[in-house]
Amino acid sequence: MSDASHDNPHAPGPSLWPIGFAIGVACLLLGLVLSWIIAAIGAVLAVVFGLLWARDVTREVRGEVPEIEPETRAVADEAAAPAGPPAAAPLPTYTRSRFLEASTLGISAAIGAVVTLPVLGFMVLPSFTNLEEQEADLGPLENFPEGKYVIASYFALPGGGEVSRRTVFVRYNGLVENPANQGRQEPSFTILYSRCVHLGCPVQPNGPIDEAAKKNVNGVELRPVLAQSFGCPCHGGLYDAEGNRRAGPPVRSMDRAEYSIKHGRLILGPVYAVGNVSGTGANAMISRYPWSTPGTHVDGIEAWLYPIVPTQVTG
Ligand code: FES
């Protein structure tokens, strides 16, 4: 007696591609929060495993059914086979599991596109729209009295509107000898960036603002202030007059901006991160680091313990 089930071909084993695809999507989502390198690895994994999975799922549709020899037993009496017209070729069948696999793949692809395309757009579009922040001209040096901070508010992107408004606290430290320039006397400035290095809230100077002396020159608003420290209203961060962290959750000193003097005007350069400042004014010793997002430790053991922080947009 023969068992009919033995005549059916063995189906291919379950594919591992969906697992690889899921790991890729997970890496991609994690990378969007942590780092673009992890996101890129995740995207590559998701695309590769997704394609392999799609190839598997659509194999029948594409007519690439693998050659599988059915396990059969010798029929003792071929003459016993019923006579009649040859059987028609079986129509391709789509099982429920195939349908579910294809649906899952399609939904995953749609979710991946919805999540990644806007992010990719924001990452790639600025390269084509030339929206890089430019140097800012803060105006003539006479606008900055010696030893006092001035709140300077300017537009980082010409034509960028209010969203590109930035604020720095500028203090003129007087003339100092520059050994790199044959000992010539050059103006020294301390320029603190107003973005809190905890989570990015706008830091405020602690002291009265001289609104009567306010100036607005070519879109740059200048307001002298008697600031002995700086405070962040969001979580109580406190910085001293050199931008060193004194209290609260900020993880480093306030960021500073480079500057140059061109034709008697103060030109603001790129912002950089600061670990600690010892000394004051023109004599300050600054431990300087490449700019990092708020919340990033730039020195000390914390910089080793917390090397990766969530990606944030600059501004
Ligand atoms: S954002 Fe400034 S203290 Fe939290």
Side-chain angles (χ1 to χ4, degrees):
M1 198 173 101
S2 71
D3 185 350
S5 66
H6 291 166
D7 294 340
N8 293 331
H10 287 298
S15 167
L16 293 177
W17 306 141
I19 297 174
F21 178 73
I23 292 173
V25 171
C27 279
L28 176 61
L29 296 176
L30 199 64
L32 293 178
V33 178
L34 295 179
S35 134
W36 68 268
I37 297 175
I38 300 175
I41 293 171
V44 170
L45 288 177
V47 168
V48 169
F49 284 110
L51 288 175
L52 290 171
W53 187 13
R55 200 169 129 253
D56 262 12
V57 171
T58 58
R59 181 168 282 154
E60 280 183 12
V61 178
R62 292 181 289 113
E64 284 183 16
V65 182
E67 288 282 327
I68 300 170
E69 287 294 324
E71 185 185 340
T72 56
R73 298 209 174 138
V75 179
D77 186 5
E78 290 191 1
L91 291 171
T93 56
Y94 299 97
T95 61
R96 188 167 55 178
S97 65
R98 288 282 180 214
F99 171 75
L100 289 175
E101 265 187 280
S103 309
T104 309
L105 189 63
I107 291 171
S108 303
I111 292 173
V114 167
V115 170
T116 54
L117 287 182
V119 177
L120 284 177
F122 281 118
M123 285 167 66
V124 174
L125 275 184
S127 318
F128 297 98
T129 52
N130 194 25
L131 286 179
E132 292 295 318
E133 293 193 6
Q134 324 227 323
E135 289 184 332
D137 182 350
L138 297 187
L141 301 187
E142 305 86 76
N143 288 336
F144 302 95
E146 186 169 344
K148 287 184 185 159
Y149 272 109
V150 173
I151 306 169
S153 180
Y154 61 97
F155 294 106
L157 299 171
E162 280 301 317
V163 291
S164 73
R165 184 176 280 283
R166 306 283 183 267
T167 300
V168 289
F169 307 119
V170 183
R171 185 185 61 199
Y172 175 46
N173 299 319
L175 294 171
V176 291
E177 280 186 11
N178 184 359
N181 194 7
Q182 299 167 342
R184 286 205 185 130
Q185 300 261 306
E186 291 184 353
S188 161
F189 284 89
T190 297
I191 304 181
L192 304 176
Y193 189 42
S194 70
R195 195 181 191 205
C196 182
V197 293
H198 175 221
L199 292 179
C201 285
V203 169
Q204 310 292 331
N206 291 331
I209 298 174
D210 186 357
E211 294 290 357
K214 176 173 157 184
K215 289 182 186 166
N216 199 322
V217 186
N218 295 332
V220 179
E221 191 182 274
L222 302 171
R223 292 181 298 158
V225 60
L226 282 175
Q228 293 306 314
S229 63
F230 299 90
C232 178
C234 288
H235 312 101
L238 181 68
Y239 306 89
D240 67 16
E242 297 301 318
N244 279 311
R245 174 195 169 274
R246 285 290 170 244
V251 297
R252 60 178 196 252
S253 300
M254 289 174 74
D255 293 338
R256 293 189 174 214
E258 293 178 5
Y259 65 89
S260 58
I261 313 292
K262 288 182 187 164
H263 309 299
R265 302 176 75 87
L266 179 61
I267 309 296
L268 206 59
V271 174
Y272 59 92
V274 175
N276 189 53
V277 179
S278 55
T280 59
N283 301 315
M285 303 294 292
I286 302 163
S287 44
R288 170 186 174 136
Y289 296 88
W291 185 82
S292 296
T293 52
T296 307
H297 294 269
V298 293
D299 59 2
I301 191 168
E302 292 94 343
W304 292 94
L305 291 174
Y306 308 109
I308 298 175
V309 294
T311 304
Q312 296 177 37
V313 179
T314 63

